[in-house]
Amino acid sequence: MIRLSTALFVLFLFPSVASAQTDPDAAAQFISKLGDKAVDVLQDQSTSLESREERLRGIVAESLDIKTIGEFAVGKSWDRASDEEKEEYMELFSVYLLQIYTQRLGGYTGQTLQIDASSAYKDRDAVVETTIVQEGSDNIDVKWLVRDGDSDSSKGMRILDVIVDGKSLALAQRKEFTNIIAREKMSGLLNLLRLKVSKYSAQS
């Protein structure tokens, strides 16, 4: 089982506002379909690797709440950033985040995603507990924090965080980014993201 103390600590970092509760069963179906879509793309040998990666990025882009994750990653610095910094940051972060998640999903070697449980969290979100089953290797516990944005933004189900064996990807990102900002301010983080995105573009 996932270490709940770590997972729940991370979930408290995402503020909830008065809105409709995300249906846990619908959230579980959303994660299940996401896994099926990703596997279908990765198993499709009729297209080039570049084509599969592009399709995978599309799936990831439709599944993540990039704006919420991006704001969370820089903490209080978001409110202090200028409009120009916010605009460039979100543009760079979107590319960077899609790169990270696409690479993670691209590590597929025949694993299957098992839905274990789903439950409501606070007054808006849902948590979906899953196991990635791997033949010949230890299984991986993954918990997904999901929010249904239909009520206020018409964007539907979106992932806010992925917690792998008790470690939150969103919290790890926040720690890295806020440390950079503390040393080099927002301009330092933007420089780093420009470098990461340019390297990714050169490799694509």
Side-chain angles (χ1 to χ4, degrees):
M1 293 297 292
I2 291 176
R3 289 170 290 199
L4 293 181
S5 59
T6 303
L8 292 178
F9 170 75
V10 173
L11 300 186
F12 273 112
L13 298 177
F14 289 95
S16 272
V17 297
S19 187
Q21 175 70 57
T22 298
D23 179 16
D25 291 337
Q29 292 175 9
F30 167 68
I31 294 300
S32 179
K33 289 179 181 178
L34 170 62
D36 290 343
K37 287 180 182 178
V39 169
D40 286 345
V41 170
L42 293 166
Q43 288 183 336
D44 183 7
Q45 299 301 311
S46 65
T47 59
S48 67
L49 176 60
E50 292 76 13
S51 176
R52 293 198 297 274
E53 288 179 345
E54 183 64 29
R55 290 164 60 193
L56 200 56
R57 277 194 292 274
I59 293 172
V60 173
E62 293 174 354
S63 304
L64 298 176
D65 188 336
I66 296 175
K67 185 176 186 298
T68 299
I69 297 171
E71 292 182 13
F72 174 77
V74 295
K76 295 179 180 178
S77 296
W78 176 257
D79 293 330
R80 296 192 291 265
S82 67
D83 290 343
E84 292 78 11
E85 287 175 328
K86 288 179 179 179
E87 182 177 0
E88 182 180 10
Y89 167 73
M90 289 308 302
E91 289 176 356
L92 292 169
F93 182 76
S94 296
V95 177
Y96 173 69
L97 190 68
L98 294 181
Q99 171 190 353
I100 290 175
Y101 277 81
T102 299
Q103 288 176 340
R104 286 180 178 274
L105 288 177
Y108 174 80
T109 55
Q111 299 94 333
T112 57
L113 181 70
Q114 172 183 300
I115 305 293
D116 299 323
S118 61
S119 58
Y121 179 75
K122 297 182 78 173
D123 60 356
R124 185 172 183 183
D125 304 326
V127 180
V128 181
E129 297 179 44
T130 68
T131 301
I132 296 178
V133 180
Q134 307 183 110
E135 290 188 9
S137 184
D138 293 338
N139 295 338
I140 303 172
D141 292 321
V142 182
K143 181 172 285 189
W144 312 75
L145 178 62
V146 178
R147 175 174 295 172
D148 188 349
D150 273 344
S151 60
D152 61 353
S153 64
S154 299
K155 62 185 177 183
M157 293 280 183
R158 290 291 186 272
I159 296 166
L160 295 177
D161 192 15
V162 182
I163 302 161
V164 182
D165 282 336
K167 297 179 180 179
S168 159
L169 300 186
L171 187 57
Q173 194 71 78
R174 182 186 178 104
K175 182 178 180 180
E176 177 188 359
F177 281 11
T178 54
N179 283 342
I180 293 170
I181 293 171
R183 296 193 310 268
E184 305 173 33
K185 300 184 179 180
M186 192 68 172
S187 59
L189 177 59
L190 291 175
N191 286 335
L192 176 66
L193 289 175
R194 290 187 198 109
L195 180 61
K196 288 180 178 292
V197 168
S198 64
K199 284 185 176 180
Y200 172 68
S201 299
Q203 294 170 357
S204 299

Coordinates of all heavy atoms in Angstrom, one line a residue, residues 93-131:
F93 N 6.9 25.7 -18.9 CA 6.5 24.6 -18.0 C 5.6 23.6 -18.7 O 5.8 22.3 -18.4 CB 5.8 25.1 -16.7 CG 5.4 24.1 -15.7 CD1 6.4 23.5 -14.9 CD2 4.1 23.6 -15.6 CE1 6.1 22.5 -14.0 CE2 3.8 22.6 -14.7 CZ 4.8 22.1 -13.9
S94 N 4.7 24.0 -19.5 CA 3.8 23.1 -20.3 C 4.7 22.1 -21.1 O 4.4 20.9 -21.1 CB 2.9 23.9 -21.2 OG 2.0 24.7 -20.4
V95 N 5.6 22.6 -21.8 CA 6.5 21.7 -22.6 C 7.3 20.8 -21.8 O 7.4 19.6 -22.0 CB 7.4 22.6 -23.5 CG1 8.4 21.7 -24.3 CG2 6.6 23.5 -24.5
Y96 N 7.9 21.4 -20.7 CA 8.7 20.6 -19.8 C 7.9 19.5 -19.1 O 8.3 18.3 -19.0 CB 9.3 21.6 -18.7 CG 10.0 20.9 -17.6 CD1 11.2 20.3 -17.8 CD2 9.5 20.9 -16.3 CE1 12.0 19.7 -16.8 CE2 10.2 20.4 -15.3 CZ 11.4 19.7 -15.5 OH 12.1 19.1 -14.5
L97 N 6.7 19.8 -18.6 CA 5.9 18.8 -17.9 C 5.5 17.7 -18.9 O 5.5 16.5 -18.5 CB 4.6 19.5 -17.3 CG 3.8 18.6 -16.4 CD1 4.6 18.3 -15.1 CD2 2.5 19.3 -16.0
L98 N 5.1 18.0 -20.1 CA 4.7 17.0 -21.0 C 5.8 16.1 -21.4 O 5.7 14.9 -21.6 CB 4.1 17.7 -22.3 CG 2.8 18.4 -22.2 CD1 2.4 19.0 -23.5 CD2 1.7 17.5 -21.6
Q99 N 7.0 16.7 -21.4 CA 8.2 15.9 -21.7 C 8.4 14.9 -20.6 O 8.7 13.7 -20.9 CB 9.4 16.9 -21.7 CG 10.8 16.2 -21.8 CD 12.0 17.1 -21.6 OE1 11.8 18.3 -21.6 NE2 13.1 16.6 -21.5
I100 N 8.3 15.3 -19.3 CA 8.6 14.4 -18.2 C 7.6 13.3 -18.2 O 7.9 12.1 -18.1 CB 8.4 15.2 -16.9 CG1 9.6 16.1 -16.7 CG2 8.4 14.2 -15.7 CD1 9.5 17.0 -15.5
Y101 N 6.3 13.6 -18.3 CA 5.3 12.5 -18.2 C 5.3 11.6 -19.5 O 5.0 10.4 -19.4 CB 3.9 13.2 -18.1 CG 3.6 13.5 -16.6 CD1 4.1 14.7 -16.0 CD2 2.8 12.7 -15.8 CE1 3.8 15.0 -14.7 CE2 2.6 12.9 -14.5 CZ 3.1 14.1 -13.9 OH 2.8 14.4 -12.6
T102 N 5.6 12.2 -20.6 CA 5.7 11.3 -21.8 C 6.8 10.3 -21.7 O 6.7 9.2 -22.1 CB 5.9 12.2 -23.1 OG1 4.8 13.1 -23.2 CG2 6.0 11.4 -24.3
Q103 N 7.9 10.8 -21.2 CA 9.1 9.9 -21.0 C 8.7 8.8 -20.0 O 9.1 7.6 -20.2 CB 10.3 10.7 -20.5 CG 10.9 11.6 -21.6 CD 12.1 12.4 -21.0 OE1 12.2 12.7 -19.8 NE2 12.9 12.9 -21.9
R104 N 8.0 9.1 -18.9 CA 7.6 8.1 -17.9 C 6.7 7.1 -18.5 O 6.9 5.9 -18.4 CB 6.9 8.8 -16.7 CG 7.9 9.5 -15.8 CD 7.2 10.2 -14.7 NE 8.1 10.8 -13.8 CZ 8.8 10.2 -12.8 NH1 8.6 9.0 -12.5 NH2 9.6 10.9 -12.0
L105 N 5.7 7.5 -19.3 CA 4.8 6.6 -19.9 C 5.5 5.8 -21.0 O 5.2 4.7 -21.3 CB 3.6 7.3 -20.5 CG 2.6 7.9 -19.5 CD1 1.5 8.7 -20.3 CD2 1.9 6.8 -18.7
G106 N 6.5 6.4 -21.6 CA 7.2 5.8 -22.7 C 8.1 4.6 -22.2 O 8.7 3.9 -23.1
G107 N 8.3 4.5 -20.9 CA 9.1 3.4 -20.4 C 8.3 2.1 -20.4 O 8.7 1.1 -19.7
Y108 N 7.3 2.0 -21.1 CA 6.4 0.8 -21.1 C 7.1 -0.4 -21.6 O 7.7 -0.4 -22.7 CB 5.2 1.1 -22.0 CG 4.3 -0.1 -22.2 CD1 3.4 -0.5 -21.2 CD2 4.3 -0.9 -23.3 CE1 2.5 -1.6 -21.4 CE2 3.5 -2.0 -23.5 CZ 2.6 -2.3 -22.5 OH 1.8 -3.4 -22.7
T109 N 7.1 -1.5 -20.9 CA 7.6 -2.8 -21.3 C 6.6 -4.0 -21.0 O 7.0 -5.0 -20.6 CB 9.0 -3.1 -20.6 OG1 8.8 -3.0 -19.2 CG2 10.0 -2.1 -21.0
G110 N 5.4 -3.7 -21.2 CA 4.4 -4.7 -21.0 C 3.6 -4.7 -19.7 O 2.9 -5.6 -19.3
Q111 N 3.8 -3.6 -18.9 CA 3.1 -3.5 -17.6 C 1.6 -3.4 -17.8 O 1.1 -2.9 -18.9 CB 3.6 -2.3 -16.8 CG 5.1 -2.4 -16.5 CD 6.0 -1.7 -17.5 OE1 5.6 -1.6 -18.6 NE2 7.1 -1.3 -17.0
T112 N 0.8 -3.7 -16.8 CA -0.6 -3.5 -16.8 C -1.0 -2.6 -15.6 O -0.4 -2.7 -14.5 CB -1.4 -4.8 -16.8 OG1 -1.0 -5.5 -15.6 CG2 -1.1 -5.6 -18.0
L113 N -2.0 -1.8 -15.8 CA -2.5 -0.9 -14.7 C -3.7 -1.5 -14.1 O -4.7 -1.7 -14.7 CB -2.8 0.5 -15.3 CG -3.3 1.5 -14.3 CD1 -2.2 2.0 -13.4 CD2 -3.9 2.8 -15.0
Q114 N -3.7 -1.7 -12.8 CA -4.8 -2.3 -12.0 C -5.4 -1.3 -11.1 O -4.7 -0.7 -10.3 CB -4.2 -3.5 -11.2 CG -5.2 -4.1 -10.2 CD -4.5 -5.2 -9.4 OE1 -4.0 -6.2 -9.9 NE2 -4.4 -5.0 -8.1
I115 N -6.7 -1.1 -11.3 CA -7.4 -0.1 -10.4 C -7.7 -0.9 -9.1 O -8.4 -1.9 -9.1 CB -8.7 0.4 -11.1 CG1 -8.4 1.0 -12.4 CG2 -9.4 1.4 -10.1 CD1 -7.6 2.3 -12.4
D116 N -7.3 -0.3 -8.0 CA -7.5 -1.0 -6.7 C -8.7 -0.3 -5.9 O -9.5 -1.1 -5.3 CB -6.2 -0.9 -5.8 CG -5.1 -1.6 -6.5 OD1 -5.3 -2.7 -7.1 OD2 -3.9 -1.1 -6.4
A117 N -8.7 1.0 -5.9 CA -9.8 1.7 -5.1 C -9.9 3.1 -5.5 O -8.9 3.6 -6.2 CB -9.5 1.6 -3.6
S118 N -11.0 3.8 -5.2 CA -11.1 5.2 -5.5 C -12.0 5.8 -4.4 O -12.9 5.1 -3.9 CB -11.7 5.5 -6.8 OG -13.0 4.9 -7.0
S119 N -11.7 7.0 -4.0 CA -12.5 7.6 -2.9 C -12.5 9.1 -3.1 O -11.6 9.7 -3.7 CB -11.9 7.3 -1.5 OG -10.5 7.7 -1.5
A120 N -13.5 9.8 -2.5 CA -13.6 11.2 -2.5 C -12.5 11.8 -1.6 O -12.1 11.2 -0.5 CB -14.9 11.7 -2.0
Y121 N -12.0 13.0 -1.9 CA -11.0 13.6 -1.1 C -11.5 15.1 -0.9 O -11.7 15.8 -1.8 CB -9.6 13.6 -1.7 CG -8.6 14.4 -0.8 CD1 -8.2 13.8 0.4 CD2 -8.2 15.7 -1.1 CE1 -7.4 14.5 1.3 CE2 -7.4 16.4 -0.2 CZ -7.0 15.7 1.0 OH -6.2 16.4 1.9
K122 N -11.6 15.5 0.4 CA -12.0 16.8 0.8 C -13.4 17.1 0.1 O -14.2 16.2 0.0 CB -11.0 17.8 0.5 CG -9.7 17.6 1.3 CD -8.7 18.7 1.1 CE -9.0 20.0 1.8 NZ -7.9 21.0 1.8
D123 N -13.6 18.3 -0.4 CA -14.9 18.6 -0.9 C -14.9 18.7 -2.4 O -15.9 19.2 -3.0 CB -15.4 19.9 -0.3 CG -14.5 21.1 -0.6 OD1 -13.5 20.9 -1.2 OD2 -14.9 22.2 -0.1
R124 N -13.8 18.3 -3.1 CA -13.8 18.5 -4.5 C -13.1 17.4 -5.3 O -13.6 17.1 -6.4 CB -13.1 19.9 -4.9 CG -13.2 20.2 -6.4 CD -12.7 21.6 -6.7 NE -12.8 21.9 -8.1 CZ -12.4 23.0 -8.7 NH1 -11.8 23.9 -7.9 NH2 -12.5 23.2 -10.0
D125 N -12.1 16.8 -4.8 CA -11.2 15.9 -5.6 C -11.5 14.4 -5.3 O -12.4 14.1 -4.4 CB -9.8 16.2 -5.3 CG -9.4 17.7 -5.6 OD1 -10.0 18.2 -6.5 OD2 -8.6 18.2 -4.8
A126 N -10.8 13.6 -6.0 CA -10.9 12.2 -5.8 C -9.5 11.6 -5.9 O -8.6 12.1 -6.6 CB -11.8 11.5 -6.9
V127 N -9.3 10.5 -5.2 CA -8.0 9.8 -5.2 C -8.3 8.4 -5.8 O -9.1 7.7 -5.3 CB -7.4 9.7 -3.8 CG1 -6.1 8.9 -3.9 CG2 -7.2 11.1 -3.2
V128 N -7.5 8.0 -6.8 CA -7.6 6.7 -7.4 C -6.3 5.9 -7.1 O -5.2 6.4 -7.4 CB -7.7 6.8 -8.9 CG1 -7.9 5.4 -9.5 CG2 -9.0 7.6 -9.3
E129 N -6.4 4.8 -6.4 CA -5.3 4.0 -6.0 C -5.2 2.9 -7.1 O -6.1 2.1 -7.4 CB -5.5 3.3 -4.6 CG -5.6 4.4 -3.5 CD -5.8 3.7 -2.2 OE1 -5.1 2.7 -1.9 OE2 -6.6 4.3 -1.4
T130 N -3.9 2.7 -7.6 CA -3.7 1.7 -8.6 C -2.4 1.0 -8.3 O -1.6 1.4 -7.5 CB -3.6 2.4 -10.0 OG1 -2.4 3.1 -10.1 CG2 -4.8 3.2 -10.3
T131 N -2.2 -0.2 -9.0 CA -1.0 -0.9 -9.0 C -0.5 -1.1 -10.4 O -1.3 -1.6 -11.3 CB -1.2 -2.3 -8.3 OG1 -1.6 -2.1 -7.0 CG2 0.2 -3.0 -8.3

